């Protein structure tokens, strides 16, 4: 494999892995949130967003 | 038992993390332009040097994530008897950071193998740096597996915290392996108290790439933390429903 092909493969794999993992994390959060009945509208309220909890 | 209500639970996205997410995408795009187009090719390594901008930041972020896992595990072990909810907060933080650390260690291994093929002529060599890095990857995979074993949540978290502290012993070994043993792997590109091996545009691109990957990792850790919290909520609801149905059944039979 040439240097350019190696670089493209390495960067491609990195971006693919990070993108796939990010999508999995967000989808899992949405799926469990829906299962628990936590609505997206609740999150759009900035007052709740600002001070709901000291957690992350 | 700690009760986490829906009213203070968040979905994984908030206004803050949406901004951080947009920032992460923009930072990654700029990192790609700098790393692949603007930064010059190396005199010796040629175009292959561009692997530096993903390989090195990935392992640095993995180190950082494992430090966060260890510190959170210590705080969990210290605080679990006094304030259970805070203890679980640290446990979630440890779990989410470890998972992100494992992802970046995996990226380090794959990009290192590809880079090794063009510079050393082989994908793999059982030298000190490569062997200790794969051991790091496997031990933290074990840590993540331990977190999924069926057990009382507090007991499981305590076992995981101990495992995290044992696993962390390997982090400085990985980092200093190139100094302690003769290895095929080159010495650290940047090191405290040592003149940098690279300069100019390469140096700044590496530092910028580290910043960009840090933003991505922060976004991932925050989201993963929130997903773990939602998973706990779901487990608590399932348990409460099972206990309730059992009590109803017992009442009916009496």
């Amino acid at each position: 494999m040439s240097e350019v092909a190696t670089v493209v493969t390495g960067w491609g794999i990195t971006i693919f892995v990070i993108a796939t993992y990010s999508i999995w994390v967000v989808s899992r959060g949405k799926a469990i949130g829906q299962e628990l009945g936590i609505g997206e509208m609740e999150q759009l309220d900035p007052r709740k967003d600002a001070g709901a909890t000291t957690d992350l | 038992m700690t009760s986490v209500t829906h009213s203070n639970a968040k979905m994984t996205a908030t206004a803050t993390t949406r901004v951080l997410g947009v920032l992460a995408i923009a930072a990654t795009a700029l990192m790609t332009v700098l790393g692949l187009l603007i930064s010059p090719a190396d005199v010796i390594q040629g175009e292959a040097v561009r692997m530096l901008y993903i390989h090195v930041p990935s392992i640095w972020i993995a180190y950082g994530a494992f430090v966060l896992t260890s510190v959170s595990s210590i705080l969990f072990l210290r605080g679990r008897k006094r304030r259970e909810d805070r203890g679980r907060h640290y446990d979630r933080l440890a779990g989410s950071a470890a998972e992100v650390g494992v992802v970046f260690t995996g990226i380090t291994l794959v990009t290192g193998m590809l880079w090794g093929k063009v510079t050393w002529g082989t994908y793999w060599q059982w030298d000190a740096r490569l062997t200790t890095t794969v051991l790091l990857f496997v031990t933290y995979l074990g840590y993540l597996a331990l977190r999924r074993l069926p057990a009382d949540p507090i007991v499981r978290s305590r076992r995981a915290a101990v495992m995290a502290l044992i696993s962390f012993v390997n982090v400085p070994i990985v980092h200093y392996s190139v100094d302690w043993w003769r290895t095929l792997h080159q010495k650290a590109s940047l090191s405290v108290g040592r003149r940098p091996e690279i300069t100019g545009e390469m140096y700044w691109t590496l530092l910028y790439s580290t910043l960009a990957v840090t933003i991505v990792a922060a976004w991932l850790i925050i989201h993963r933390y929130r997903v773990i919290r939602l998973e706990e909520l779901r487990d608590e609801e399932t348990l409460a429903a099972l206990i309730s149905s059992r009590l109803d059944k017992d009442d009916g039979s009496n």
Side-chain angles (χ1 to χ4, degrees):
Chain A
M1 196 155 46
S2 72
E3 285 175 4
V4 172
T6 301
V7 169
V8 170
T9 308
W11 277 73
I13 290 172
T14 302
I15 291 169
F16 175 78
V17 168
I18 292 173
T20 307
Y21 179 61
S22 305
I23 291 166
W24 176 78
V25 169
V26 171
S27 310
R28 188 162 170 78
K30 278 187 178 169
I32 300 173
Q34 278 170 1
E35 222 175 284
L36 291 167
I38 301 170
E40 184 73 10
M41 290 306 289
E42 191 182 340
Q43 301 309 312
L44 297 176
D45 184 341
R47 285 164 302 179
K48 284 187 180 177
D49 194 40
T53 171
T54 55
D55 289 352
L56 291 178
Chain B
M1 192 175 187
T2 307
S3 170
V4 186
T5 60
H6 286 185
S7 61
N8 68 358
K10 293 176 180 180
M11 293 283 278
T12 59
T14 60
T16 312
T17 54
R18 282 189 187 113
V19 170
L20 193 63
V22 170
L23 200 62
I25 291 168
T28 307
L30 183 58
M31 174 184 139
T32 308
V33 171
L34 287 173
L36 294 181
L37 303 174
I38 295 178
S39 171
D42 185 55
V43 178
I44 299 166
Q45 294 202 29
E47 297 294 337
V49 78
R50 299 184 194 284
M51 295 296 275
L52 177 80
Y53 310 124
I54 45 172
H55 179 75
V56 174
S58 294
I59 194 64
W60 286 348
I61 294 307
Y63 288 162
F66 296 144
V67 167
L68 185 56
T69 300
S70 301
V71 171
S72 302
S73 298
I74 291 169
L75 292 171
F76 167 78
L77 289 172
R78 282 186 59 186
R80 71 195 156 85
K81 284 179 184 164
R82 281 168 291 163
R83 292 194 298 175
E84 201 171 280
D85 190 44
R86 293 304 292 170
R88 290 184 75 175
H89 161 70
Y90 291 125
D91 175 59
R92 284 177 218 130
L93 193 55
S96 52
E99 193 172 290
V100 171
V102 165
V103 169
F104 280 100
T105 308
I107 288 170
T108 305
L109 285 167
V110 172
T111 54
M113 286 166 70
L114 289 165
W115 199 2
K117 181 64 180 167
V118 288
T119 52
W120 307 331
T122 179
Y123 285 111
W124 190 260
Q125 187 78 35
W126 289 102
D127 87 335
R129 170 58 73 86
L130 276 66
T131 307
T132 51
T133 307
V134 83
L135 190 65
L136 185 76
F137 182 68
V138 171
T139 49
Y140 275 96
L141 270 183
Y143 167 82
L144 294 177
L146 183 62
R147 292 184 63 88
R148 289 179 178 274
L149 287 180
D152 175 78
I154 298 298
V155 174
R156 183 176 54 204
S157 299
R158 193 168 61 227
R159 288 174 184 162
V162 173
M163 169 93 182
L165 296 178
I166 294 168
S167 303
F168 187 75
V169 172
N170 195 20
V171 171
I173 296 174
V174 172
H175 185 69
Y176 291 108
S177 58
V178 288
D179 296 323
W180 292 345
W181 294 287
R182 286 176 64 184
T183 67
L184 191 59
H185 196 283
Q186 69 182 61
K187 295 210 181 293
S189 305
L190 295 179
S191 192
V192 178
R194 193 191 292 167
R195 229 178 116 105
E197 298 280 324
I198 56 169
T199 53
E201 284 166 317
M202 285 184 182
Y203 176 78
W204 290 110
T205 304
L206 178 59
L207 287 190
Y208 173 77
S209 299
T210 306
L211 175 70
V213 176
T214 305
I215 295 169
V216 172
W219 183 87
L220 283 169
I221 289 171
I222 292 169
H223 274 264
R224 191 65 186 100
Y225 174 97
R226 290 176 180 167
V227 171
I228 292 173
R229 190 156 183 236
L230 288 174
E231 286 168 347
E232 286 173 1
L233 266 174
R234 186 188 57 185
D235 292 347
E236 283 171 16
E237 282 216 343
T238 307
L239 185 65
L242 282 170
I243 291 169
S244 172
S245 73
R246 177 69 186 265
L247 288 173
D248 288 348
K249 202 184 277 180
D250 287 350
D251 285 347
S253 62
N254 287 336

